[in-house]
Amino acid sequence: MADNDKHGIRRNLTNYGDPEFAAYLRRSFARSMGYSKDMLERPIVGIAQSASGFNNCHRYVPELTEAVKRGVLGSGGLPLDFPTISLGEVFLSPTSLMFRNLMAMDVEEMVRAQPMDAVVLIGGCDKTVPAQLMGAASADVPAIQLVTGPMMAMPYRGERLGACTDCRRFWAKFRAGEISDEDIDEIEGNLATTAGTCAVMGTASTMACVAEGLGMMLPDSAAIPAVHADRIRAAEATGVRAVEMIRTKGPRPSDIITEKSVENALRVLLAIGGSTNAIIHLTAVAGRRGIRIPLERLNLLSDETPVLLDLKPTGNHYMQDFHAAGGMSALLTELKDLLHLDCMTVTGETLGTRIARGAPFVDRGVIRPRSDPISPVGGLVALFGSLAPRGAILKRAAADSGLFEKEGRAVVFESLEDLSARIDLPDLDVTKDDFLVLKNAGPRSASGMPEAGYLPIPKKLAKAGLKDMVRISDARMSGTAFGTVVLHVAPDAASGGPLTLVKNGDRIRLSVKDRRLDLMVAEAEQAKRREGLKTPHLPERGYARLYNEHILQADAGCDFDFLRG
């Protein structure tokens, strides 16, 4: 019997050339940790936990881990938690996306190498959940996702504040001179006052909903607030289900993550008005199973999938309101005729069986019916054209539709450093009708594709009251942000894409209706400009070099070329 056909403590035995000696030695060392011989005969549930002092979103992970262990022990399994890399969004330089693939490799290899019959993945922060799903999809051991849950939005001077849409709203007011240094300092201390991920439909909440829509989480566990007792109960139930998956020999990620379930997840992404980052992450997760997500297909789905959630940044409410309003069961019920109901979920039942139970309560002020959507079309749209041959993404649900059909003059920033140095200069040559263009912030750049696509409105225009203008880049933006921001331009500038050829004063045409983003410069002139391009410097060593040599473009999920299925 091969090692991977064995179970519990005998699974994946260390290779000394003598399997029985390896099992004997492993039991000996396990017993040094105080486990009884009977306990070591149980099936093992690994718990991949990503607690870190550099990750505020994961402050309650130790408590969730203990709850998962209760569920596993009570169901006859042996829970063994293990650490992985943790990606605290705002604590990483140059950006967390650069390290997502590293975490995915960590998760995959530890799940594959260590003796576990199933694994619970505990995470929440933006890049953590996709990294865990990517790793689990590749390892293909029975796996179940458990998210940390969103923060609670808290009262402040007659309104509620929650990270991080409100962060950006007040920072824009501060830049425009509408609030004082003292005010912004006080707001800083009131934006994020509980454990958990951002309180709005940012990337973390989007990926939680996408993971549930994909079938990799227990029903209605995506939106439970981090501080709610239901979050702990969900953790215990996740542990119970992990043991059941061992006994029923699945389902495995390969049974759950299919072309149909990926399309279901896309429908969820569009209906919740979710983060632009999620299309990169879902593309990477699907890619681990050899499934492509053509951006043309995204457009077709977007045109027939309405936005149903009235949540910030595209609406008025917070994630805690979504949970109280009926959560994912209510949303999926509204979408049921658009979904593939025969898809398997981590519970062992189909999505259709889950939806048939319905939602016991629905608050229509938060979760709209299909007959009265927030928007009749999905939140995201892909653009193509001479400036984005392989596509770009616009979150139209969070943009000013008055800017959707427009031609403008390019005001170009060559890098993040250039942007920082010049964006607020009083003599910057810029008007409200111009297009701000940022280069060299894509996946192949030294900055590693940060959430810098939400270029600030130049201070002199912000002080004049301007709230939005067209912004174009190969960068990403936070799911908590808003505005007419064109992102993920592919190929990126550092790879020699057309974006690198744009100069100040060039004309660019944006047409959301036609799904076009075009550089209005003659091909002969573009070819002349290309002759002077220099090859970007390759990092000399370490992970940065591995990253630069193998990173794929945004339309392929920014995964490494050697990790795709």
Side-chain angles (χ1 to χ4, degrees):
M1 198 164 53
D3 285 343
N4 284 339
D5 294 330
K6 296 176 181 177
H7 303 286
I9 203 71
R10 291 182 62 89
R11 183 182 175 90
N12 296 332
L13 288 171
T14 309
N15 191 355
Y16 300 107
D18 182 344
E20 292 308 314
F21 171 74
Y24 155 76
L25 190 61
R26 178 176 286 178
R27 287 193 300 271
S28 175
F29 277 79
R31 292 176 76 173
S32 78
M33 293 186 283
Y35 293 109
S36 67
K37 193 170 183 179
D38 288 343
M39 190 64 70
L40 293 176
E41 293 298 319
R42 293 187 175 198
I44 294 176
V45 174
I47 305 173
Q49 53 91 359
S50 49
S52 168
F54 290 101
N55 196 333
N56 60 297
C57 300
H58 293 190
R59 180 153 60 92
Y60 281 0
V61 165
E63 186 172 19
L64 295 179
T65 301
E66 290 306 309
V68 172
K69 287 181 176 180
R70 285 202 306 272
V72 172
L73 286 167
S75 300
L78 173 61
L80 295 177
D81 66 298
F82 62 98
T84 67
I85 294 168
S86 185
L87 303 179
E89 183 67 19
V90 301
F91 293 94
L92 289 165
S93 176
T95 174
S96 61
L97 182 65
M98 179 174 279
F99 303 102
R100 183 201 65 182
N101 297 347
L102 183 61
M103 182 177 182
M105 292 169 71
D106 185 1
V107 171
E108 174 185 348
E109 300 303 339
M110 291 301 97
V111 169
R112 181 182 287 120
Q114 297 177 132
M116 63 191 75
D117 302 301
V119 63
V120 174
L121 309 161
I122 306 181
C125 200
D126 291 16
K127 310 306 175 293
T128 302
V129 171
Q132 291 176 327
L133 291 174
M134 290 162 69
S138 295
D140 206 28
V141 168
I144 183 168
Q145 183 77 52
L146 173 66
V147 296
T148 59
M151 299 177 189
M152 297 285 281
M154 301 298 284
Y156 174 78
R157 295 190 178 183
E159 62 174 315
R160 288 189 297 170
L161 295 187
C164 195
T165 299
D166 295 325
C167 312
R168 300 176 192 284
R169 174 166 61 95
F170 281 107
W171 190 253
K173 288 177 176 287
F174 177 64
R175 282 177 51 78
E178 297 175 17
I179 59 177
S180 67
D181 290 351
E182 292 76 16
D183 288 336
I184 198 69
D185 184 64
E186 185 175 354
I187 290 163
E188 179 183 304
N190 284 275
L191 284 164
T193 57
T194 77
T197 56
C198 287
V200 300
M201 190 55 78
T203 303
S205 294
T206 299
M207 287 309 302
C209 295
V210 164
E212 187 171 331
L214 193 61
M216 288 295 293
M217 282 171 53
L218 290 184
D220 288 314
S221 61
I224 304 169
V227 298
H228 199 298
D230 281 350
R231 174 58 59 196
I232 303 172
R233 284 187 277 269
E236 183 177 307
T238 298
V240 171
R241 179 57 195 155
V243 176
E244 293 172 350
M245 291 167 70
I246 297 171
R247 292 184 173 139
T248 58
K249 301 186 185 303
R252 296 173 179 269
S254 55
D255 301 315
I256 298 171
I257 303 172
T258 64
E259 287 190 13
K260 287 183 176 181
S261 71
V262 168
E263 189 161 292
N264 287 344
L266 283 170
R267 294 279 193 189
V268 168
L269 168 60
L270 294 164
I272 63 178
S275 167
T276 52
N277 287 302
I279 188 63
I280 289 179
H281 299 320
L282 184 56
T283 298
V285 173
R288 294 299 183 95
R289 300 305 320 162
I291 301 166
R292 290 185 62 249
I293 300 182
L295 293 180
E296 295 85 355
R297 182 63 178 161
L298 173 69
N299 281 341
L300 291 174
L301 296 176
S302 189
D303 285 344
E304 60 185 32
T305 307
V307 177
L308 299 178
L309 292 194
D310 186 13
L311 261 63
K312 292 187 176 188
T314 60
N316 298 304
H317 296 93
Y318 295 89
M319 284 297 292
Q320 66 205 63
D321 305 315
F322 177 40
H323 173 62
M328 284 292 292
S329 285
L331 180 80
L332 292 170
T333 300
E334 286 298 318
L335 295 173
K336 64 182 178 181
D337 63 304
L338 297 176
L339 301 173
H340 299 287
L341 301 180
D342 58 341
C343 288
M344 178 62 64
T345 72
V346 77
T347 64
E349 63 184 1
T350 65
L351 182 64
T353 301
R354 179 255 170 100
I355 290 177
R357 292 195 292 271
F361 169 76
V362 184
D363 181 346
R364 293 302 183 188
V366 179
I367 305 171
R368 296 284 190 88
R370 290 273 293 284
S371 59
D372 182 28
I374 298 293
S375 168
V377 293
L380 304 181
V381 64
L383 308 172
F384 301 91
S386 62
L387 190 54
R390 290 172 56 179
I393 297 292
L394 172 70
K395 188 174 182 179
R396 59 181 170 184
D400 179 355
S401 60
L403 300 174
F404 284 5
E405 308 298 321
K406 186 176 177 62
E407 183 177 317
R409 181 186 65 146
V411 177
V412 178
F413 300 92
E414 295 292 334
S415 65
L416 290 168
E417 293 75 20
D418 185 32
L419 174 70
S420 178
R422 295 196 296 118
I423 189 66
D424 288 335
L425 292 179
D427 60 351
L428 180 68
D429 182 12
V430 63
T431 73
K432 65 181 180 63
D433 293 317
D434 292 333
F435 289 7
L436 301 182
V437 177
L438 172 64
K439 300 182 187 180
N440 295 306
R444 285 291 304 280
S445 72
S447 58
M449 205 180 186
E451 292 182 344
Y454 181 67
L455 280 68
I457 302 296
K459 186 170 286 188
K460 69 179 185 180
L461 298 181
K463 287 185 174 180
L466 186 68
K467 303 299 183 185
D468 194 13
M469 61 191 301
V470 176
R471 286 156 278 182
I472 300 169
S473 75
D474 48 9
R476 299 176 298 114
M477 81 173 180
S478 170
T480 64
F482 46 87
T484 309
V485 184
V486 178
L487 304 154
H488 310 177
V489 172
D492 68 348
S495 299
L499 185 65
T500 197
L501 305 177
V502 183
K503 292 186 175 182
N504 276 316
D506 288 347
R507 305 293 294 181
I508 297 174
R509 182 178 297 157
L510 167 66
S511 175
V512 177
K513 175 175 64 71
D514 295 334
R515 309 292 191 264
R516 299 286 302 184
L517 184 68
D518 290 297
L519 176 61
M520 312 303 289
V521 173
E523 290 186 10
E525 172 61 20
Q526 291 189 42
K528 183 179 178 181
R529 293 180 186 181
R530 191 170 292 281
E531 291 174 2
L533 294 182
K534 297 180 180 179
T535 303
H537 174 70
L538 191 67
E540 293 182 359
R541 63 181 299 278
Y543 179 70
R545 186 176 181 101
L546 176 73
Y547 173 94
N548 198 278
E549 289 179 337
H550 294 284
I551 192 69
L552 295 169
Q553 292 292 301
D555 62 321
C558 297
D559 202 358
F560 289 156
D561 52 14
F562 60 86
L563 292 176
R564 287 169 65 83

